[in-house]
Amino acid sequence: MLLAQLSEVAKGYPSHDVLEQAHWQIRDGARIALVGRNGSGKTTLLRLLLRELEPDQGNVWLRKGAVVAAMEQEVRVDDARTLREEAARGLQHLEELHAEFARVTQAMSTLTEAPPDLDRPLAEFSGGQKSRATLARVLLRDPDLLLLDEPTNHLDLEAIEWLEAFLGSYHGAYVVISHDRMFLNRVSKETVEIRGKKLHHFQGNYDDFLVARETRLEEEMKRYEMQQ
C-alpha cells in the first residue's frame, strides 16, 4: 500500500536549486537507501517527507494517520535529561506503550555499561551514547516511515549490529542515508539516487545500484551519441 508520494516536486535555496520534477513512491515495508553527492539534497528530501519544509512546486503526500519519525545526522539532546527520560520522549503520544518502553529500555541497557545508566544525565555520556539515546527515542515512536540520516555515526560495532538486526525485523518502511557502504548493502532493497536534481530509482542494494547505474549511464551516452 502506498505510504508516501512526491509528485513533480521542486525545491531550491537562494544560492542553488536541489530538486526539479522529483517523483517518488514509498510503499509499506520499503527498505530504501538514499544516495547522492554531498549537497545534492538528501537531507532536504527527508525534511520534505517530515513536512519541515514545503516544496516550491509539486506535492508531497502522506497517507492519512501515517507517523513519520527521523534520526538526524547531528544529535541534539538536552543534557539535563536522563537517558531514560530522553528515550521516553518517543512514547509521549502513546501512553499504552509504557510496558513496551520498559522492555526496550531494558534491552538498551545491554548496550551500555549497566542498567543504572538509564537514570544518569545525558551530560555524562559520550557522543556515541547520546546517539543511542536519540535512536531509542525515534524507534519507540513506532513510525510507519522511519528516516535515518547517517545513523551509524558515533555508533560502535555492537550498536551497528543491533541496529541492522532491528531494521531486519522492522515492520515499517525506512529510508537510510549513510556513507557506510557495507551497512547500506545489508539494510537496503532499493536505492534512490539524487543526480542532476532528479530522483533515479534502482532495485537492489547499493552494490546492485552501482552496477545498474553504470549500465544506465552507458545507455544514455549511446543515445546521446546517436542523436548527435
Side-chain angles (χ1 to χ4, degrees), residues 2-199:
L2 191 61
L3 178 59
Q5 178 172 279
L6 275 68
S7 304
E8 298 283 347
V9 166
K11 184 63 183 176
Y13 299 97
S15 60
H16 64 290
D17 295 330
V18 291
L19 294 172
E20 293 178 354
Q21 296 181 333
H23 294 268
W24 194 7
Q25 290 188 340
I26 302 175
R27 298 189 177 277
D28 287 331
R31 275 88 174 97
I32 304 170
L34 178 60
V35 301
R37 294 180 178 177
N38 289 341
S40 62
K42 299 186 294 294
T43 299
T44 294
L45 199 51
L46 296 192
R47 293 185 67 193
L48 286 167
L49 289 169
L50 284 166
R51 297 294 178 85
E52 293 179 354
L53 292 177
E54 291 296 327
D56 298 331
Q57 296 178 11
N59 180 62
V60 177
W61 174 86
L62 292 174
R63 189 170 68 211
K64 185 177 180 180
V67 176
V68 182
M71 180 181 177
E72 299 177 344
Q73 185 172 353
E74 296 299 324
V75 177
R76 298 181 180 89
V77 296
D78 181 352
D79 283 348
R81 293 193 185 101
T82 66
L83 176 58
R84 186 188 303 274
E85 289 168 342
E86 176 65 15
R89 293 174 62 216
L91 290 180
Q92 289 176 346
H93 66 307
L94 294 171
E95 292 186 1
E96 66 271 20
L97 288 184
H98 278 306
E100 177 70 3
F101 166 59
R103 184 188 68 79
V104 175
T105 52
Q106 178 61 33
M108 283 174 53
S109 69
T110 65
L111 295 178
T112 56
E113 289 75 7
D117 284 341
L118 292 170
D119 296 308
R120 288 170 53 197
L122 288 167
E124 298 179 7
F125 288 93
S126 67
Q129 290 167 320
K130 290 177 182 178
S131 293
R132 293 176 182 178
T134 300
L135 180 59
R137 169 171 55 80
V138 172
L139 298 181
L140 280 166
R141 290 196 61 194
D142 194 29
D144 301 287
L145 177 58
L146 178 60
L147 309 177
L148 299 172
D149 193 349
E150 297 290 352
T152 60
N153 279 3
H154 309 297
L155 296 184
D156 58 23
L157 180 60
E158 182 183 12
I160 292 173
E161 290 176 346
W162 177 86
L163 177 58
E164 289 177 2
F166 174 88
L167 293 177
S169 61
Y170 186 61
H171 69 89
Y174 58 77
V175 177
V176 180
I177 298 172
S178 178
H179 285 92
D180 186 333
R181 178 172 175 171
M182 294 179 62
F183 177 75
L184 286 183
N185 276 329
R186 289 193 286 261
V187 302
S188 63
K189 294 184 178 179
E190 57 183 293
T191 303
V192 176
E193 180 191 24
I194 303 180
R195 176 168 44 87
K197 303 177 186 178
K198 292 181 172 58
L199 302 186

